[in-house]
Amino acid sequence: AGLACSTTCGRSPEDLDEVLADSRLLDAGQKKAELAAYNMMDGKDDGEPGMSPVTCSTDLSASPSNQEEAEEEDEGAIDVGKGEEAMVVFEESFNEVLGLCRKGRVFDAMTALKNLEQDVQERSPAKRLDGGQALRNFVERLQEDPLLKTLREAHGRMTSVLSILGPSALPGGAGDKRWVSVNITDPNIHPEFHGDIRIRFAEGAERDPHGPSTQIITYGSLTAYPMDLEEFVSVYRETDLYQKEWVADCEQCEGKVGGPEKLYSAYSRFINSSPLMPTRMEILTVREFAVCTKSPVPNRGPGVVVVDMSPPSDAKTFAGWPMPDPTKRITRMSGVGLILYFTPRKDKPGFCDVFAFAKAAAPLPQWLVPLSLLKRFFANHFVSLFRAIKTFIKDDWEKLGYKDRISGKPDLYESISDIKRMLSQAC
């Protein structure tokens, strides 16, 4: 039956809304009837003659059109019960996002966070679901939670670096004359190990118009490196365990590592004095990681992406890490954006392939560092780097601290192990 109510007691619409919001057990029609009776009693208590605070009559013979209007009005009412159910769902989704962060699954976590934010927007009071103060508190948590702030910032930095992987940036086959290339092999690493390294100068829109004159692009594809996925990633993440004796022509190296509160990012600093280069070079980067169930790199399967970024030249802090002041008589490389993507080999358990792509710059005249010189430098760098990892780390694995680091960060490294299990179960 339809309800026809008129209010003459002087109560404001805000007063009515407040009474309605306090009632959480009655449907919309019952709330209005209860409120009408309440106002009638209120008028009698006031004892004001000639005043009829509320008149309420029930029309038992309402027309179909009146019934439809009443049903539409009820459908538009705030549904408190559904609001409470939505809050339970929101909390579950919130915890799922945090869990993905703790597993290092940055891209999956960001997708889940965006879905959660969209759900909150669609099921907010404006859509007739009333979560009240609980919903307002939840929205504030979404904006202010420290780990979610870190997630948004890290995801933004990583996607910015990954955006350089456009089709024109990669080698275009034998006819692409922009590149100089060098193939590297080393039976001491493994008879099947092979590397294809290519270097060129940045061109057109790739160049930072405010950056140094020498800006280079490096591409690398390494196959059949004899190291398990978790082990290989740990070498790059646990930067404080790395020793300068493992890197050719390295004068100094230092590193720091973050926990889940930093999404496992790391700080890395190398000073290299290669005789092939005209000056001592400092490579200062923040390294961020993501365990990827879907590859952000074209034509690759699930794996782990590592993104190195150099700070702005005047930065005191970057990505939550304090930065050292520049050192005199040492050239600090800038504009570094390095992508490493590690994938396990399904056909060769215990082996990995690595995709590498980097953009870097140095404040040196381009004529002083021709591509022929850069080719020799990078060939020497990569051969010595991967030989050192095999000789000093892989072959002495039980004596070093990497194994303890892997067992000490089960959320991250078990998530990496899941990538191998996912691959082994794939058709």
Side-chain angles (χ1 to χ4, degrees), residues 125-142:
K127 300 293 184 180
R128 313 310 295 167
L129 287 175
D130 183 18
Q133 186 62 43
L135 180 59
R136 290 189 287 274
N137 292 342
F138 185 79
V139 171
E140 184 176 351
R141 284 170 63 198
L142 281 181

Side-chain angles (χ1 to χ4, degrees), residues 41-211:
M41 294 174 62
D42 191 22
K44 288 182 180 180
D45 291 342
D46 290 344
E48 297 182 17
M51 293 289 289
S52 177
V54 175
T55 60
C56 181
S57 62
T58 302
D59 185 359
L60 298 178
S61 59
S63 67
S65 60
N66 290 338
Q67 289 178 349
E68 290 175 1
E69 291 175 0
E71 289 173 359
E72 290 177 358
E73 186 177 354
D74 289 345
E75 289 175 359
I78 294 175
D79 192 328
V80 177
K82 289 184 178 180
E84 292 175 340
E85 293 174 5
M87 290 304 303
V88 173
V89 174
F90 293 163
E91 286 291 344
E92 291 175 350
S93 299
F94 183 86
N95 290 329
E96 178 189 358
V97 174
L98 297 183
L100 290 170
C101 289
R102 287 190 289 270
K103 292 180 179 180
R105 291 169 56 181
V106 171
F107 295 104
D108 290 340
M110 194 64 197
T111 298
L113 177 58
K114 288 180 178 179
N115 290 339
L116 173 57
E117 290 173 335
Q118 183 176 354
D119 287 345
V120 170
Q121 183 177 6
E122 290 180 351
R123 302 168 79 173
S124 66
K127 300 293 184 180
R128 313 310 295 167
L129 287 175
D130 183 18
Q133 186 62 43
L135 180 59
R136 290 189 287 274
N137 292 342
F138 185 79
V139 171
E140 184 176 351
R141 284 170 63 198
L142 281 181
Q143 297 301 319
E144 300 300 327
D145 183 85
L147 189 55
L148 296 189
K149 283 185 174 181
T150 300
L151 172 63
R152 293 184 182 96
E153 293 167 359
H155 180 267
R157 288 189 295 267
M158 296 179 80
T159 53
S160 176
V161 175
L162 287 165
S163 68
I164 67 178
L165 284 176
S168 63
L170 299 173
D176 192 342
K177 303 301 183 183
R178 298 174 299 168
W179 303 82
V180 297
S181 62
V182 57
N183 291 319
I184 59 175
T185 59
D186 191 337
N188 292 320
I189 295 176
H190 192 270
E192 297 182 39
F193 169 74
H194 175 262
D196 174 21
I197 310 299
R198 306 188 188 193
I199 305 102
R200 65 176 174 84
F201 290 119
E203 301 174 344
E206 295 174 330
R207 291 184 58 84
D208 178 358
H210 305 292

Side-chain angles (χ1 to χ4, degrees), residues 20 25 93 257 367 423:
L20 285 171
L25 299 175
S93 299
V257 294
W367 60 264
L423 188 64

